[in-house]
Structures are given as C-alpha cells and as structure tokens.
Amino acid sequence: EPTRFNGKGVSRAVANVNGEIQQCLMGRDASNQRQVDEELLALDGTLNKERLGANALLAASLATVRAAALGLGQSLYDHIGTLHGNSNPARLPVPQMNILNGGAHADNSIDFQEFMVLPVGSSSFHEALRCGAEIFHKLRSELIAQGLQTAVGDEGGFAPDFPSNETALQAVLQAVERSGYTTSQDVFLGLDLASSEFFADGEYRLESEKNSYTSGQFIDLIVELAGRNPILSLEDPLDEDDWEGWVALTRKLGQTVQLTGDDLFVTNPGILQKGVDLQAANSILIKVNQIGTLSETLDAVRLAQSNGYAVTVSHRSGETEDTTIADLAVGVGADQIKTGSLCRSERTAKYNRLLRIEEALGERADYAGKQAFKQL
C-alpha cells in the first residue's frame, strides 16, 4: 500500500515471512544454513529477490542462524565462524566511526557523504571505542563554539553547514588532535565519497566548489587529497560504473590507501570477481541487506578474503537495533566494521555488542588495529 507509512511499511514482508516462508522452512534443520538459504532463494524464484522481497528473505535467513546458534548452545559469532570455516573467531574489527555527515545523509553543502575516524593505534576494541567517543564529543564542543548546529545525520554523525569538503576535513582533524590523539599514528581518517551521488553525464560535479571534473581529473584530485591528509580509507571514491577510473585509481593509490567498493560491488560475488579480474579496488563493503541471505554474504566475504581484499562489515542508513552484524564481523574475522556514529541506539547497539564479545573472549580477544590495513 503506497500510502501506508508513505510506502515504507513492512506489512507485506511480515506477511511473506509468516506465510510462504514459514511453510517452506517448517521442519528444516536450522544448522544447515546453506540448504535453508537455497530453499529461500528457490521459493522466491527471481534474480533480485523481487517476489518475496530481500527484507523478508534476509530476516528469515538471519533468524535461522540465530536459532541454530541457540540450539547448539553456541555464541552467534562462534556459529557464524563455523559456517565460514573460521574455527577460532577472536578478532575484533577496527571501527570506521562516521562522525560527520554530508551528501545524501545530510541537509548541508558538503558533497562527500561520510567523514570517519579510524582508531587503528588503540590496543583493544574498548580503547578504540573510547578514542572515537572522545573525538566525537570534542567535535561537538568545537561546533558549538563556532555557532554551528549539532543535529545529526542519518548515521548519527554531525551535519553542520560547512562551506566545503575541505573545511569539514579540517574540523575532524582538529577534533582528533584536540582530543589528545596523534593523526597518522593513533587515528587515521576515512572518507565515504559516495561519488555515484554527484556523478552525472560522465562528470563528477562538486556543488560546494561549483566545479566539474572528468574521471581523470577527479582521480588527480583524490590522489592530491590523500597525499596531504592522513587518509587511510576511501569508500566509493568513483562512480559504480567508472570501471576504467577504478582501475587507474587503484594503480595509483592502492599501495597507500584502502579503496573500498560499496556501490561498486553491492556485496555481489559476481561483481566482486570482475573487480578482482580487473584489479579494481582492494577492499569490499559487506552489507547483508544488499545481497539478501547469510550464505551469499559469506560467499562474498570468502571471495574477498581469498583474493586479498580487505573486508568491512557494514550497517545501512535505515537501521534497527539488531546487532547481528557485530557477530558477523567477528565470526568471519573482518578487518573493519562500519556501524555509524557514537550516538543513536541503532548505532551504539552494535558497539555495545562488540564490547560484550570482547569481554566474553577475555584474553583471546585480538583487536585488529593496524593489521587490518595492508597499507600500514
């Protein structure tokens, strides 16, 4: 019903789960995840999960893995580790903490979508979390001091009306240093440019600068930006269809910067294989909601890991308080996790879950830190 909740309701997905999907899975062995997921895909019968909907299929798939873990008396991350072939999941990922928003995630004049801090120098996950929280609140104080708004964007980062991408970058760097941390040592920066949002007619259009760039010119701009800032990770620096540009950028910058495909790969093993073949990007964002079942997600992670691509397990903008991705990140031994800012319960829930996992692991807990990045 397009008028119900302005078309954002989930009653159809719920009905599909309680109807066809429940009938299909009744009596199945929840510990056989791949069989369950294959049954779900066959039941839907469409290439893009259009009939039953990816939300319904994903909910059933993740409910299955949770049920199996409970039935086996295992933690969720341990059971996911078993499914993935990771016999001793004890690695805590580096959080990519989105503390300042622009682009489609905010109503301001910043073109780039996310400005993130990466606390790679911390000795443990809980110290990394403390580091990010201190920087986040220092940034808030700095914004208040400048008379700028401290309302937050879709993923919990601040969304002040800075005049340019450069001023936003400098504000984050200043917050890091005034929190007592050293850039390029304790903390590096990550940017999600979300370039597909400002790519049109073969050009990258930065509204804040009133400038347009060809692919080659924009690559030069990115290389220059990364060269003079402690930027360790760039997500979607180029448009999802600019494969030639991705190959050129990876050749130029791949040794020193993590280049992550989100819109580029959409957690799809087939598209990732194209990236591997072309040597485009060196990292993938993993979103369970993009691909639709846990087994397909694990396939994408396995392909990435076997080809030396870094793996970042990620949330989405429209999130809930479900914490499965925290267990998924630990279960597959992901390098990093993206779950937003240090506020809003749908973001902090994942951080709290990772704290509990770290606690449960005790001395076995191993924070990925600088080892999460081949570039360091």
Side-chain angles (χ1 to χ4, degrees), residues 201-343:
D201 302 322
E203 290 188 321
Y204 294 90
R205 298 175 180 172
L206 299 184
E207 290 298 323
S208 63
E209 298 179 8
K210 299 288 184 281
N211 254 333
S212 292
Y213 300 87
T214 63
S215 180
Q217 289 169 337
F218 197 59
I219 287 169
D220 290 341
L221 181 77
I222 292 167
V223 171
E224 189 268 331
L225 185 72
R228 61 183 168 83
N229 288 290
I231 294 170
L232 183 55
S233 178
L234 291 171
E235 182 182 329
D236 285 343
L238 296 169
D239 180 67
E240 61 198 79
D241 294 318
D242 188 3
W243 283 97
E244 197 175 313
W246 272 96
V247 171
L249 181 63
T250 306
R251 198 177 295 127
K252 286 188 176 184
L253 213 53
Q255 295 301 309
T256 54
V257 177
Q258 175 175 277
L259 302 170
T260 302
D262 173 17
D263 294 339
L264 180 69
F265 295 135
V266 290
T267 315
N268 185 307
I271 302 174
L272 174 58
Q273 186 62 58
K274 179 180 178 179
V276 170
D277 294 341
L278 292 174
Q279 293 185 296
N282 54 27
S283 171
I284 184 173
L285 206 72
I286 295 291
K287 290 179 176 171
V288 288
N289 66 287
Q290 278 180 331
I291 194 67
T293 66
L294 180 62
S295 294
E296 291 169 293
T297 303
L298 297 180
D299 288 344
V301 172
R302 200 171 289 114
L303 181 62
Q305 290 174 332
S306 64
N307 284 283
Y309 275 57
V311 168
T312 300
V313 170
S314 177
H315 63 167
R316 62 194 296 186
S317 290
E319 262 290 343
T320 71
E321 291 186 7
D322 180 85
T323 60
T324 304
I325 63 165
D327 286 79
L328 175 64
V330 175
V332 301
D335 302 287
Q336 298 139 61
I337 191 168
K338 266 186 80 176
T339 183
S341 177
L342 285 299
C343 72

Side-chain angles (χ1 to χ4, degrees), residues 31-50:
S31 66
N32 192 336
Q33 186 73 36
R34 186 160 297 273
Q35 183 185 19
V36 168
D37 287 340
E38 285 173 357
E39 296 258 3
L40 287 170
L41 295 174
L43 181 67
D44 177 80
T46 67
L47 186 63
N48 294 319
K49 305 171 179 68
E50 291 160 19

